[in-house]
Amino acid sequence: MSEYEENQSKFMRKAKENPFVPVGMAGFVGIVGYQLMKMKNRGNVKMSVHLIHMRVAAQGFVVGAMTLGVIYSMYNEFYLGKQDQKAVTHK
């Protein structure tokens, strides 16, 4: 198996374990791309202010995706895990 296929399968495995990681990455790229296109028509706003707003928006999206991912993992581990334990003990 080539190194590319190993990395691709590793990424897919990680994406299935933590589905909000690719969402965060895609959101980051989308926000940065949108803000870079919007930079042409920024008007009278300084470049540094525009870049700071872009960074804050992108980081906010990634932090939000990470938070949702942690909540999702906790839900799967604790809530669904306890239901599986109850099902095993009732048999």
Side-chain angles (χ1 to χ4, degrees):
M1 193 184 309
S2 71
E3 185 176 329
Y4 175 75
E5 290 174 352
E6 290 175 4
N7 290 336
Q8 186 179 14
S9 64
K10 182 178 178 181
F11 178 75
M12 293 305 290
R13 181 175 44 87
K14 291 286 187 179
K16 287 179 184 175
E17 291 174 6
N18 301 314
F20 288 96
V21 171
V23 171
M25 291 169 54
F28 177 83
V29 170
I31 289 172
V32 169
Y34 173 73
Q35 291 290 339
L36 287 175
M37 289 187 337
K38 190 177 164 186
M39 190 182 293
K40 294 178 192 174
N41 303 324
R42 71 178 186 269
N44 202 12
V45 179
K46 288 184 178 180
M47 172 76 82
S48 61
V49 173
H50 184 75
L51 292 175
I52 289 171
H53 288 168
M54 177 175 55
R55 180 184 64 89
V56 168
Q59 282 182 330
F61 189 89
V62 170
V63 169
M66 288 173 52
T67 303
L68 289 175
V70 168
I71 291 169
Y72 176 77
S73 296
M74 288 173 59
Y75 174 78
N76 280 341
E77 185 176 332
F78 294 111
Y79 183 72
L80 296 179
K82 287 182 181 178
Q83 284 185 345
D84 290 342
Q85 288 176 356
K86 286 179 185 177
V88 169
T89 57
H90 288 296
K91 286 185 178 183

